[in-house]
């Protein structure tokens, strides 16, 4: 069995000597670097670094790493996260009526492709409860029509707390989360259709079809208070033609939505995504 | 040498028996169908048909075909075009400073990949004159800053008339044509960048880069009075990442712009594109 | 509810007047053509035609169509199939240990995206029985190690007969079917990995990885006695890099295998695939 | 104007502390790292590192860097290359009759997209001389039919020496270079068509067409003595269908050949490609 690795993610103002400083610290504690990626965004003046290192010969305890590394972080004026490859996060998946993304994610979890637990599935429709049951997840239905948004969100936040949820995936959840919810719980991944050009508002596939688009796309992104405008993690497209009816566009859209969402969740689970300003750097 | 083929394009209200009626007419005159494509847009209630047939054994003269087919067209309440594979249209290419699309088109013409003549290249900048000279095209520069748009367009229309131009390609022509110009000369193909989501207005690549898009695209379309909103002929995308600077996005954008434009021009030359309502059907 | 449509597939030697003859026949019986696609393979001298027409106003009974059309077929020296859009075929899926293609197909069936029944799942391993149970399919395990291939295949043929199976999908079935089996049961669709260049034999992903390929692919094809060399229905590729380990290649390969296989099965179900000589024409 | 950067490429046996050692060396001389990419191939036991750093504040002279870094290289038992972003290499392009890759490369050079000089174009056919003249390159034609391969290659090697050529691009050069030539001149980039499955030998497009492939590809690779089997730099594919004749496959093949070759040359020019064992790692 492979020894767990330690994953550092650091963001700080760019300056000379940063890679050296970070990697020397790891080397001094006996760590062996497995992957290291660094990127300088000259426009933002920021240095981003992801270093995955093997803890097998390290002379430092897991519980001490955070505190000891804090000194470096202060020195470089940086923000950092430390994660371990053997941590299995708890994820809540939010759905409505469409099942394609939910099923895809749950099967990838079952097959060991996505290393996460899904103890909680939340929906504003009762339709997908049997799928949740098949995969031993708790399914909680909220009647969002006859309840206030703030009441529902309060209850959801309690469940998130109760199930110790690390991040949320919106797998075709057709409700808009309030700003206050989004601010309280920062790691939310969403999937939505994308087109060239964009078709905002209702019935986008119908309108894209009427315009005769030759490509349709899907975008997986983090949710911010600007709806569908959060930092992009992954995008995919597929060719369409006049031979495709609206239903074919929707069907093809489902296929790329689940691929884009699964890739985005995997990148997030592997701590390969940096979010800064309004965008991401994805170290794949 | 291959015998030229005759290309019928017909659009009419859908009803039973149309394919039979059209193909029987051709068969009765001894024609052999090489390619036939039909499409019914049920939403629009329209039937679209492209039939390419071999004239080798036909008993009808080219000059009589139009008049004789008129009877059928009236019967089915249809609009039609008749073209011949040995007709080489005259094309005017409009450019500004960027040369990538112009060069790509001219080399494809020289290599026999695009069967068209380019006797005329029009620009609002003098920069690309030497390329026009290399390919024996007349280069005409208009100072659009110190002249009125209507004066320039009037002169352009005279040139288009003088050079017997069949259609226009905007190969990164950074001027907006007036509605009246677009209405006078209907077949104009344009190329522009596309993104998911769209970034309208100035500096789209810079803004797409700031947003961290993972794909950039190019759209070739017919020009209508709704700027950049005309019927789409062809779309392409290419992956980008945070490793790409704005200049890399622009460079990658150039590569897909020229591919999408060359494909669109080829489809138009082969009479494979139907334009109806706000969209196209591309029989490729 | 939509009225069922009738789907003609005809292959015959090319000659003038074929489209007219076929479509006039349909028109004479009051049929309205929804889709018609024709292709002439000049190298093979063959004409291929798929005509989908609406039976709503037709004056001919379903049971008479075959016999009446026979006269046309004899006249044009053609082979033909007649299918109806409301026929739901029975499909047997063969699997081994990998579940990704099986699950993908079964879910698409459940969601109504693939219009077929899957009453029978056959395997040379017992692992996937619970999935078959979840979807109410009969799972039959054959111990191919301790039984002769001909015994097993005889039993499979009996099951195929008993369950009235129309076609077979090999969804990562890691056994080679005998020539005699393949000849007895012609419609078998298989999926396998593909590379540029090809890596024949054992451990292809490992060898592709060692060669540093930048793309991996999947090919869905009909099975003929030339293993993995049958007529191709669909092919997909995905980018890979040196950052991908062998496991990543295998994971990415699974994703495109299931997409390519689902597309191929759908095209087959819609009678959009013509097989002739060693290849296909896919009217999509 | 941007200050030139220094590009280190290092390959050595993997062990802890390498990134730290390398980056500390640069930091100690006042260098600021712009890009650093590291990869460990655990199968090969090798560590690969590309570090691009800014020389603006460095305290070391360009002429001393190599010697000083030698100490580190010996210590880590590594091989290394040092290049500078302001070095413009001399490239010889070899062609036969097809011009699409040659033209594409020369225009990208003229537009500043590929930072290289092309003083020499070698061909076994006289056809493309005028293109060489247009771009002020010396065109040298060798009659390979009536001369011995070794005589021709000796003369080519003299020209390569005379024009101080840094690397060679085979832009559809339809001659096989001898093993001894390949060994004498290691950096040779080639482009060739690729298929799934592979079609080795003569007329691959015709054979791929007969097999009804749905995708065709292009592979850019370094030339080794195993013809068309050298380390892969870049691969592209494009969709094809039964509607495409052999000529269409060839035309589409040309488009992806030039894209794949241009990308590969650009990656090589930027020193982003590591070749080791039979493969590459491409730090893009």
């Amino acid at each position: 069995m492979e020894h767990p690795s330690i994953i550092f993610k650091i963001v700080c103002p760019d300056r000379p000597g940063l890679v050296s400083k970070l990697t020397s610290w790891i080397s001094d504690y006996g760590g062996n670097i497995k992957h290291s990626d660094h990127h300088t965004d000259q426009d933002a003046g920021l240095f981003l670094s992801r270093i995955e290192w093997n803890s097998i010969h390290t002379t430092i305890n897991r519980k001490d790493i955070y505190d000891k590394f804090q000194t470096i972080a202060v020195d470089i004026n940086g923000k950092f996260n430390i994660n371990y490859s053997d941590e299995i996060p708890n994820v809540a998946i939010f759905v409505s009526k469409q099942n394609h993304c939910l099923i895809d994610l749950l099967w990838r979890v079952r097959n060991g492709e996505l290393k996460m637990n899904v103890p909680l599935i939340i929906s504003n429709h009762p339709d997908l409860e049997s799928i949740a049951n098949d995969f031993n997840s708790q399914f909680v239905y909220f009647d969002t029509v006859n309840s206030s948004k703030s009441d529902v969100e309060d209850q959801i936040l309690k469940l998130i707390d109760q199930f110790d949820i690390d991040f949320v995936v919106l797998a075709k959840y057709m409700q808009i989360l309030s700003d206050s919810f989004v601010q309280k719980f920062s790691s939310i991944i969403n999937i939505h259709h994308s087109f060239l050009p964009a078709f905002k508002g209702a019935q986008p596939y119908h309108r894209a079809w009427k315009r005769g688009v030759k490509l349709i796309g899907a975008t997986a992104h983090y949710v911010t208070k600007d709806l569908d405008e959060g930092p992009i993690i992954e995008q995919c497209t597929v060719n369409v033609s006049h031979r495709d009816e609206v239903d074919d566009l929707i069907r093809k859209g489902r296929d790329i939505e689940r691929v884009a969402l699964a890739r985005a969740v995997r990148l997030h689970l592997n701590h390969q995504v940096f979010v800064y300003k309004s965008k991401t750097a994805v170290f794949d």
Side-chain angles (χ1 to χ4, degrees), chain A residues 135-244:
Chain A
F135 288 85
N136 302 315
S137 294
Q138 181 75 33
F139 183 88
V140 184
Y141 158 61
F142 289 102
D143 179 347
T144 52
V145 177
N146 298 306
S147 318
S148 79
K149 186 185 282 282
S150 64
D151 277 0
V152 169
E153 290 191 347
D154 283 350
Q155 292 181 68
I156 292 175
L157 284 167
K158 274 180 202 157
L159 285 166
I160 281 177
D161 194 52
Q162 179 189 331
F163 281 87
D164 197 18
I165 297 300
D166 294 286
F167 70 96
V168 166
V169 177
L170 307 184
K172 306 302 291 175
Y173 182 62
M174 307 311 273
Q175 289 282 309
I176 295 170
L177 297 168
S178 72
D179 285 6
S180 75
F181 186 96
V182 171
Q183 273 157 9
K184 273 178 204 140
F185 198 77
S186 62
S187 278
I188 306 173
I189 295 174
N190 188 31
I191 181 73
H192 70 87
H193 48 73
S194 304
F195 301 93
L196 315 82
F199 295 92
K200 294 202 175 178
Q203 291 207 298
Y205 281 100
H206 289 76
R207 287 158 61 220
W209 182 84
K210 277 189 189 292
R211 181 85 157 74
V213 296
K214 307 306 178 197
L215 281 175
I216 58 173
T219 297
H221 65 99
Y222 289 108
V223 176
T224 58
K225 62 190 173 67
D226 300 316
L227 180 69
D228 289 350
E229 298 281 324
I232 296 166
I233 309 170
E234 178 73 27
Q235 297 186 301
C236 302
T237 55
V238 66
N239 296 325
V240 297
S241 81
H242 66 278
R243 295 178 197 95
D244 292 298

Side-chain angles (χ1 to χ4, degrees), chain A residues 255-274:
Chain A
D255 268 16
I256 51 170
E257 280 178 347
R258 62 187 207 174
V259 168
L261 181 58
R263 285 189 194 157
V265 170
R266 182 183 167 85
L267 290 165
H268 181 88
L269 284 171
N270 290 347
H271 311 287
Q272 293 174 285
V273 189
F274 283 73

Side-chain angles (χ1 to χ4, degrees), chain A residues 14-257:
Chain A
D14 191 34
R15 71 174 203 210
L18 287 166
V19 177
S20 166
K21 184 178 289 277
L22 295 170
T23 56
S24 297
W25 188 89
I26 292 166
S27 179
D28 289 348
Y29 281 109
N32 188 18
I33 293 170
K34 291 175 67 178
H35 301 288
S36 81
D37 290 281
H38 318 287
H39 177 65
T40 302
D41 185 325
Q42 294 181 333
D43 185 64
L46 289 176
F47 170 81
L48 315 175
S49 179
R50 180 190 186 275
I51 308 177
E52 185 170 346
W53 51 289
N54 201 314
S55 61
I56 190 160
H57 295 302
T58 191
T59 56
I60 188 168
N61 289 322
R62 198 178 279 206
K63 64 180 172 56
D64 297 332
I65 288 181
Y66 189 92
D67 287 346
K68 301 236 180 203
F69 191 72
Q70 188 75 44
T71 318
I72 299 285
V74 167
D75 182 21
I76 63 178
N77 192 23
K79 292 180 186 169
F80 68 101
N81 297 98
I82 299 176
N83 291 283
Y84 301 88
S85 64
D86 58 358
E87 292 166 337
I88 310 293
N90 292 323
V91 178
I93 302 180
F94 289 28
V95 293
S96 292
K97 290 184 171 179
Q98 297 180 69
N99 65 23
H100 59 283
C101 285
L102 176 66
I103 291 165
D104 192 79
L105 291 173
L106 291 173
W107 271 106
R108 289 179 194 270
V109 172
R110 182 169 286 182
N111 282 344
E113 196 178 293
L114 294 177
K115 305 218 178 298
M116 64 190 201
N117 301 312
V118 184
L120 179 64
I121 294 171
I122 282 170
S123 185
N124 61 327
H125 291 281
D127 309 45
L128 306 185
E129 178 159 15
S130 69
I131 296 171
N133 293 342
D134 287 351
F135 288 85
N136 302 315
S137 294
Q138 181 75 33
F139 183 88
V140 184
Y141 158 61
F142 289 102
D143 179 347
T144 52
V145 177
N146 298 306
S147 318
S148 79
K149 186 185 282 282
S150 64
D151 277 0
V152 169
E153 290 191 347
D154 283 350
Q155 292 181 68
I156 292 175
L157 284 167
K158 274 180 202 157
L159 285 166
I160 281 177
D161 194 52
Q162 179 189 331
F163 281 87
D164 197 18
I165 297 300
D166 294 286
F167 70 96
V168 166
V169 177
L170 307 184
K172 306 302 291 175
Y173 182 62
M174 307 311 273
Q175 289 282 309
I176 295 170
L177 297 168
S178 72
D179 285 6
S180 75
F181 186 96
V182 171
Q183 273 157 9
K184 273 178 204 140
F185 198 77
S186 62
S187 278
I188 306 173
I189 295 174
N190 188 31
I191 181 73
H192 70 87
H193 48 73
S194 304
F195 301 93
L196 315 82
F199 295 92
K200 294 202 175 178
Q203 291 207 298
Y205 281 100
H206 289 76
R207 287 158 61 220
W209 182 84
K210 277 189 189 292
R211 181 85 157 74
V213 296
K214 307 306 178 197
L215 281 175
I216 58 173
T219 297
H221 65 99
Y222 289 108
V223 176
T224 58
K225 62 190 173 67
D226 300 316
L227 180 69
D228 289 350
E229 298 281 324
I232 296 166
I233 309 170
E234 178 73 27
Q235 297 186 301
C236 302
T237 55
V238 66
N239 296 325
V240 297
S241 81
H242 66 278
R243 295 178 197 95
D244 292 298
E245 301 295 328
V246 173
D247 283 352
D248 296 311
L249 264 60
I250 292 171
R251 174 176 53 82
K252 291 185 171 182
R254 282 198 301 262
D255 268 16
I256 51 170
E257 280 178 347

